[in-house]
Amino acid sequence: MVTGRDALQDRVAGLDAGLAGWDYEAARLDVLTDTAKAFADLVAAERRLAIMEELDSLSQRVFDTVAEKADAGEISPIQKKRAGVAHSQVEIRLSRTKREVEAARKALAATWGSTRADFGKAEGSLDTLLPVPPYEDLAAYIDTNPDVARWAAEMEKREAVLSLEKSRAVPEPVVSGGYRRIGENDDNAFVVGLSIPLPIFDRNQGAIAEARRLVTKGEHEKREAEVIVSASLAAAYADLQTSYEAASMLKRDVVPRAEEAYASIFEGYREGKFSLLDVLDAHRTVFDTELEYVDSLRSYHRALADVERLTGSPLGEMRAWPETPH
């Protein structure tokens, strides 16, 4: 016979299974987020390496040009030394960038449990950005975050446990039955018995009080989870918006202007219109802005991974956001 208490126990077990599903989803999204961020780190590191290798090549060209002029007596030998120092600084940065690439490769491999980064170059583009929607549009998805969504089932389970503990305060009747031989004539009769224990000392008050406490505590924990996710989303959104705007401006305006200025100054230097200091400054500005652009792209994709984890939904699936190539 299925009793009300049995039904409550089945309900609690079913809700436990649902909570396990939410916890699995949270863990899955954590892994995806960590992997996406590690991949963005590696793609950015490899791109910085390509820039530094180009910078090293151009730095060598600048040094050779200056050395040629110095050896011919056209400029002071001190300028050759300054160009040599600048080239050495570039080589140091290049060496550091190579180590950063190797570290990023190992970090990515670690996301799938490997201690060896035995794979080729990471194939990916950081330049395609999704426009950043209004914060309110993203905040509307907080309820789909598994860390928040699980609390509906959690509170339902705690209420069910409370009901179950209350039911245990009232003993269920025990029905018994069977054949019994009666009298001297050996007559058989079917006898039914009903017994009801009297809970004089044990009314399950301790378990009920604990279950009630967990319900009250759960309300506070649910609210705390919502506050934590909201605060984290606000911070990630700020990073996403800032990096999106920075990357857009750098690609659209800053980098092209720096490249144009360097080309003009280097040509003018060969004609004697500008000093070596002007060339080196323009040279450094070009690559610094390109590196800053890559760093902004990296920050954007890391923030995007955080936003999608906190909303529980990919940004591109929330609505038809148009892609903006940069």
Side-chain angles (χ1 to χ4, degrees):
M1 179 177 66
V2 177
T3 66
R5 187 178 299 169
D6 292 334
L8 283 172
Q9 289 175 332
D10 290 342
R11 183 183 175 195
V12 170
L15 291 169
D16 268 334
L19 285 170
W22 281 119
D23 292 340
Y24 169 81
E25 179 64 11
R28 185 184 72 85
L29 290 178
D30 285 339
V31 172
L32 289 176
T33 300
D34 290 343
T35 302
K37 292 166 78 171
F39 183 75
D41 288 345
L42 177 55
V43 174
E46 290 181 341
R47 187 156 169 179
R48 283 196 299 269
L49 177 59
I51 292 172
M52 289 306 304
E53 288 174 340
E54 183 180 357
L55 175 58
D56 183 60
S57 176
L58 289 176
S59 179
Q60 182 67 58
R61 285 168 50 194
V62 170
F63 175 74
D64 292 342
T65 300
V66 172
E68 180 181 347
K69 286 179 173 289
D71 293 343
E74 298 178 12
I75 59 176
S76 170
I78 193 65
Q79 295 196 40
K80 178 179 178 180
K81 292 182 179 180
R82 293 178 64 183
V85 169
H87 181 53
S88 297
Q89 290 175 330
V90 170
E91 290 185 323
I92 292 172
R93 292 176 65 184
L94 175 61
S95 178
R96 183 187 304 121
T97 304
K98 289 179 179 179
R99 291 193 295 270
E100 290 172 353
V101 169
E102 188 59 30
R105 287 171 59 83
K106 291 179 179 178
L108 178 59
T111 61
W112 59 72
S114 176
T115 58
R116 298 177 55 191
D118 50 355
F119 55 87
K121 182 179 179 180
E123 295 293 337
S125 175
L126 300 176
D127 296 88
T128 301
L129 309 179
L130 289 172
V132 180
Y135 175 77
E136 293 74 16
D137 290 0
L138 296 180
Y141 285 83
I142 286 179
D143 289 342
T144 63
N145 181 317
D147 298 320
V148 173
R150 73 179 305 279
W151 277 100
E154 179 68 42
M155 292 308 300
E156 188 178 353
K157 173 200 165 184
R158 295 190 186 195
E159 292 286 357
V161 170
L162 176 58
S163 298
L164 178 61
E165 296 300 344
K166 287 180 178 179
S167 74
R168 288 171 175 161
V170 180
E172 293 185 333
V174 179
V175 179
S176 60
Y179 285 94
R180 179 180 296 179
R181 182 172 296 174
I182 302 176
E184 298 178 353
N185 296 327
D186 292 336
D187 292 333
N188 293 325
F190 185 79
V191 179
V192 177
L194 176 65
S195 63
I196 303 178
L198 298 178
I200 298 176
F201 298 105
D202 182 12
R203 300 187 62 185
N204 205 34
Q205 294 303 305
I208 292 174
E210 176 63 13
R212 186 174 287 116
R213 185 188 71 82
L214 290 177
V215 170
T216 302
K217 181 183 178 184
E219 293 291 347
H220 295 293
E221 292 174 330
K222 178 177 180 291
R223 179 56 184 162
E224 181 181 5
E226 292 170 347
V227 169
I228 290 174
V229 171
S230 295
S232 299
L233 179 60
Y237 180 83
D239 290 341
L240 183 68
Q241 189 174 45
T242 299
S243 56
Y244 174 83
E245 292 173 353
S248 299
M249 182 176 294
L250 283 162
K251 183 61 176 179
R252 183 180 61 249
D253 299 323
V254 181
V255 173
R257 290 180 182 178
E259 290 173 344
E260 291 173 4
Y262 171 74
S264 297
I265 291 174
F266 185 70
E267 183 63 28
Y269 172 75
R270 296 176 65 91
E271 297 173 359
K273 297 179 180 179
F274 295 102
S275 69
L276 173 63
L277 182 60
D278 294 327
V279 174
L280 295 179
D281 285 343
H283 192 222
R284 183 172 58 252
T285 298
V286 169
F287 289 96
D288 283 346
T289 53
E290 289 185 352
L291 291 170
E292 186 178 357
Y293 172 59
V294 173
D295 287 341
S296 296
L297 292 175
R298 171 180 172 272
S299 296
Y300 170 87
H301 286 282
R302 287 181 62 87
L304 177 63
D306 285 332
V307 166
E308 292 183 339
R309 169 63 179 89
L310 292 164
T311 58
S313 304
L315 186 63
E317 294 181 7
M318 293 182 186
R319 50 168 287 186
W321 301 110
E323 292 190 357
T324 301
H326 287 264

